[in-house]
Amino acid sequence: MAPLTSPFARKVELRREHHGDVVIDNYEWLRNKEDPEVLAHLAAENAYTDQETEHLETLRQQLFDEIKGRTLETDLSVPVREGDWWYYTRTLEGQQYGVHARAPIAAPDDWQPPVLEAGHPIAGEVVLLDDNIEAEGTEFYSLGSFDVSADATLLAYAVDTEGDERYTLRIRDLRTGLDLADEIENTAPGATFSLDASYIFYPTVDESWRPDTIWRHRVGTAAADDVIVFSEPDERYWIGVGLTRSRKYLEIGVGSSITSESHLLDAATPEGDFSVVWPRVEGVEYSVEHAVVAGEDRLLITHNANGENFELVEVAVDAPTDASRQHTILAHSHDVRLESVDAFATHLSLEYRRDALSRVAVITLAAVAEPGEPAGWPYSEPLELPFDEPLFAVGTGGNPEFAQPTLRVGFTSFVTPSTVYDYVVATGELRELKQQPVLGGYEPSLYGQRREWAVAPDGTRVPISLVFKRDKPVGTADARADLDATAAPEHPEPAPTPLVLYGYGSYEASIDPSFSVARLSLLDRGVTFAIAHVRGGGELGRWWYENGKTLTKRNTFGDFIAAARHLIEIGETTPELLVAQGGSAGGLLMGAVANDAPELFAGILAQVPFVDALTSILDPSLPLTVIEWDEWGDPLHDPEIYAYMKSYSPTRTCARACATRVFLP
């Protein structure tokens, strides 16, 4: 059979005009996913790809075997205490989905989670939901809502068996293991019980898949009798509902990418009306935590009304907007981006960013009011949890109990597998509970990580995080001097090596250093992996994000190119050995890089790329387009935004990119 030739899509001219500018789009017809010609073209592309990559089959299989051989398929999560139970999930070898279970605590003061072993259920284990059983007979299965009532007798769960992100909500009686007659179709994830479990509050979506309405369902009644308690007409906003950790309030959260608003209802009166905490102000984001400090109820609000990097204030429960009764706990800092605050009975946990790394700290709370306390009382100074690696990611999670004396913390780095700790607030002890297993043996000391800084065209310093195998060259003498003594390479002379440079840079998403089992196969073959922490992400605070969106979006592309040039200039790699990688909005970055600096890369991997953002965002009929206007701008109504977006969209000539192989999986 004759070799296949590269398929080319035929051109069907479509004229598109906005703000007096005419664009000829020859490939709009390819959007029709039901068109037999489109399907045939995709099949031809896949066949050609298979032919051209056939010689890689042995390597593909080898990589698959390596990754599978390091991965533990039968695993268990670390149990999380909620009420009188430990909750956890099992994954079993050969099964596609998880098994959700719980086991009773040993005593009221039992805060040491049980050690789970594969194949050995703990005493008193109760299976709440086996996703493998629920998925039987379906081609698709996704679990959405999963909420256990405060009295631990009922489970609200929602499943999608069609893949359309519309979930059917059901209620299971955990005393009998049987589902109640209640069944609510077309819900969104995020259902939650009222405090007394007599009601379920749940969201639904509009035609654009935007969660826009919260309903109240009385357990044991028909869905047709459900009541709307909140609806958000503004297409830029998403909504959700839940109980505060203290279980004092039900909260409805409303938010766009730049504005938020919270509504509270005393959880003891689920049929009551929600009250707004702070009325929304365009561009102001805030979140609310209920705390009990020195015996008094407080509302703690993390907000950016007075500074882009957020501050933490205390407000009166009965008058949250009364400025005369507000107290600043943590003031705004230009160097620290405060990301979240969680309130517990004895302490607060803080998550924030400093020097392009995530951090966790704890503030202890006074239990009783005492006269003559120092400034800042009843809140202690934040105590940051120490970690001794140069690059890492840390955060909190799995902390549902208001009265818990511990804080569940997750830690990882390029060289340290994901590790779960309990931090004991009273003593400062950091107890390791579990580390991600790597089968076949893994020695962290064989790998190194370090930070580099590139300089963007406007003089901004751009951080780059690198991980590599230590027994290979790592660049010039100046670069090697940045390593600690144990990281010194064996080779005295610099030798450029293959390098994958990853980037994202949108939505204030931070791409943190983290461990990857699959990446070991890359590193063991002498390839360095690097992340360019470009503007548009959140690594260096809110200003880092603000300077990589809308009319400053080109900074994202310039930062990535500067990172590539820096790695080449220090001898870490060469253009012939350098590959760029990005997905989704990072795929848009890849498209811009292919146009602006193709000479720097041997290849570009664009994964599910949002390459032609302009065409998509010009069409408000597409799902969620209006929400995206806060991130990219509104080219439909603003000619300046239109012209700016067109400047980095693929509608312009990309002749320079012909020298670079761009891979679009």
Side-chain angles (χ1 to χ4, degrees):
M1 185 173 64
L4 299 175
T5 58
S6 177
F8 287 91
R10 67 185 178 90
K11 295 181 178 181
V12 180
E13 185 175 302
L14 174 72
R15 180 187 177 93
R16 189 180 291 121
E17 182 173 353
H18 293 279
H19 309 295
D21 179 65
V22 176
V23 172
I24 303 301
D25 187 342
N26 292 315
Y27 302 105
E28 174 68 20
W29 68 276
L30 286 168
R31 286 185 183 273
N32 186 355
K33 295 180 287 186
E34 307 301 324
D35 186 341
E37 185 179 356
V38 172
L39 296 175
H41 178 76
L42 294 175
E45 286 188 335
N46 288 336
Y48 180 73
T49 299
D50 290 342
Q51 170 188 279
E52 295 301 295
T53 61
E54 184 179 7
H55 65 288
L56 298 174
E57 178 57 33
T58 300
L59 176 60
R60 279 197 294 264
Q61 186 62 47
Q62 183 180 356
L63 292 172
F64 175 82
D65 292 341
E66 288 179 10
I67 295 169
K68 184 177 181 181
R70 294 189 181 108
T71 304
L72 181 64
E73 293 188 55
T74 298
D75 201 7
L76 307 99
S77 63
V78 178
V80 170
R81 178 172 165 177
E82 191 164 1
D84 294 334
W85 297 86
W86 292 105
Y87 290 84
Y88 51 93
T89 300
R90 295 178 177 270
T91 58
L92 305 175
E93 185 174 1
Q95 295 192 358
Q96 188 171 359
Y97 303 103
V99 178
H100 309 276
R102 70 181 181 186
I105 62 173
D109 60 352
D110 175 21
W111 293 99
Q112 181 66 43
V115 177
L116 304 181
E117 296 179 355
H120 299 280
I122 62 177
E125 180 178 81
V126 178
V127 173
L128 307 179
L129 191 73
D130 186 335
D131 289 335
N132 300 285
I133 294 176
E134 302 297 327
E136 287 180 358
T138 68
E139 294 184 1
F140 178 88
Y141 176 85
S142 174
L143 180 64
S145 300
F146 187 93
D147 186 58
V148 177
S149 61
D151 64 4
T153 62
L154 298 177
L155 167 67
Y157 71 100
V159 300
D160 169 19
T161 57
E162 300 295 332
D164 60 0
E165 298 182 355
R166 300 293 201 274
Y167 295 81
T168 299
L169 179 61
R170 299 184 177 91
I171 304 171
R172 178 162 297 179
D173 188 329
L174 297 178
R175 294 161 294 193
T176 66
L178 301 177
D179 286 351
L180 305 183
D182 306 55
E183 186 172 290
I184 309 170
E185 297 183 345
N186 298 319
T187 71
T192 189
F193 280 106
S194 63
L195 184 61
D196 63 2
S198 60
Y199 293 96
I200 290 179
F201 292 81
Y202 66 90
T204 58
V205 300
D206 63 13
E207 294 180 354
S208 297
W209 275 264
R210 175 183 67 95
D212 72 326
T213 302
I214 301 297
W215 300 74
R216 184 180 65 233
H217 169 80
R218 187 173 185 85
V219 175
T221 66
D225 298 329
D226 292 355
V227 177
I228 294 176
V229 297
F230 186 87
S231 187
E232 175 55 56
D234 193 325
E235 294 181 82
R236 297 175 301 163
Y237 289 83
W238 289 38
I239 63 176
V241 63
L243 274 171
T244 59
R245 183 178 288 101
S246 65
R247 295 180 177 168
K248 172 73 172 178
Y249 297 101
L250 280 157
E251 179 182 9
I252 293 176
V254 186
S256 72
S257 62
I258 62 172
T259 306
S260 58
E261 183 178 75
S262 288
H263 300 247
L264 296 181
L265 170 65
D266 191 317
T269 59
E271 292 183 330
D273 295 325
F274 285 81
S275 299
V276 66
V277 179
W278 283 1
R280 72 187 69 173
V281 175
E282 188 77 9
V284 174
E285 300 169 63
Y286 72 90
S287 61
V288 179
E289 283 286 301
H290 169 245
V292 180
V293 187
E296 296 182 4
D297 285 328
R298 321 276 180 109
L299 292 182
L300 307 182
I301 300 182
T302 306
H303 71 92
N304 66 343
N306 298 326
E308 61 187 1
N309 274 345
F310 291 75
E311 66 180 12
L312 177 64
V313 300
E314 169 195 301
V315 302
V317 172
D318 58 345
T321 59
D322 185 349
S324 66
R325 299 174 65 186
Q326 290 183 16
H327 166 63
T328 299
I329 302 170
L330 294 174
H332 172 265
S333 168
H334 292 288
D335 300 320
V336 176
R337 164 65 161 97
L338 181 61
E339 293 193 321
S340 68
V341 176
D342 290 318
F344 301 86
T346 62
H347 59 279
L348 310 177
S349 69
L350 314 175
E351 293 188 71
Y352 52 96
R353 292 188 169 274
R354 189 183 70 249
D355 299 329
L357 291 175
S358 55
R359 318 275 178 164
V360 169
V362 169
I363 290 177
T364 55
L365 306 177
V368 295
E370 296 180 8
E373 293 293 339
W377 183 90
Y379 304 95
S380 74
E381 287 294 316
L383 177 64
E384 184 173 294
L385 276 61
F387 297 97
D388 60 2
E389 297 192 38
L391 302 176
F392 58 84
V394 62
T396 64
N399 295 289
E401 279 295 287
F402 189 63
Q404 64 185 65
T406 58
L407 181 68
R408 184 66 54 85
V409 176
F411 175 87
T412 186
S413 75
F414 276 141
V415 301
T416 301
S418 297
T419 308
V420 179
Y421 296 95
D422 265 354
Y423 176 76
V424 183
V425 176
T427 65
E429 179 188 2
L430 198 61
R431 299 174 181 165
E432 181 177 326
L433 302 178
K434 181 180 180 179
Q435 187 170 86
Q436 173 190 358
V438 182
L439 302 183
Y442 167 68
E443 179 48 62
S445 65
L446 298 178
Y447 304 87
Q449 56 180 346
R450 79 173 194 275
R451 171 66 53 81
E452 286 284 340
W453 294 84
V455 179
D458 64 357
T460 300
R461 298 179 75 234
V462 180
I464 312 168
S465 298
L466 299 94
V467 59
F468 46 87
K469 193 79 176 288
R470 289 192 189 276
D471 62 356
K472 75 176 198 66
V474 294
T476 65
D478 288 342
R480 292 198 304 275
D482 292 335
L483 298 170
D484 58 49
T486 62
E490 298 177 0
H491 303 276
E493 297 298 329
T497 56
L499 189 144
V500 175
L501 181 61
Y502 182 87
Y504 187 74
S506 292
Y507 304 107
E508 202 178 3
S510 298
I511 309 301
D512 291 316
S514 62
F515 185 78
S516 167
V517 165
R519 189 187 299 133
L520 294 177
S521 292
L522 195 72
L523 302 179
D524 287 347
R525 286 168 170 79
V527 179
T528 295
F529 180 80
I531 299 172
H533 302 286
V534 296
R535 278 174 283 185
E539 288 89 341
L540 284 168
R542 175 53 64 89
W543 75 274
W544 197 250
Y545 168 52
E546 295 290 349
N547 282 273
K549 61 182 289 193
T550 58
L551 291 174
T552 60
K553 187 61 194 172
R554 278 197 160 276
N555 286 335
T556 304
F557 317 143
D559 288 356
F560 190 88
I561 292 169
R565 292 191 191 281
H566 176 79
L567 294 172
I568 292 169
E569 289 170 358
I570 66 171
E572 191 71 38
T573 190
T574 68
E576 295 76 22
L577 298 174
L578 179 58
V579 170
Q581 179 184 1
S584 191
L588 179 145
L589 168 61
M590 295 299 101
V593 166
N595 277 319
D596 291 347
E599 70 280 0
L600 297 180
F601 304 95
I604 296 176
L605 178 58
Q607 300 165 297
V608 288
F610 184 45
V611 177
D612 191 1
L614 179 59
T615 299
S616 298
I617 296 177
L618 280 168
D619 185 357
S621 69
L622 294 175
L624 310 182
T625 290
V626 175
I627 292 174
E628 295 286 349
W629 286 350
D630 284 336
E631 177 75 18
W632 310 96
D634 177 5
L636 187 62
H637 303 101
D638 188 329
E640 183 182 14
I641 291 289
Y642 174 88
Y644 189 81
M645 291 189 70
K646 185 182 179 184
S647 75
Y648 61 75
S649 293
T651 48
R652 64 197 172 105
T653 180
C654 55
R656 297 182 67 226
C658 293
T660 301
R661 296 194 298 173
V662 182
F663 302 101
L664 302 173

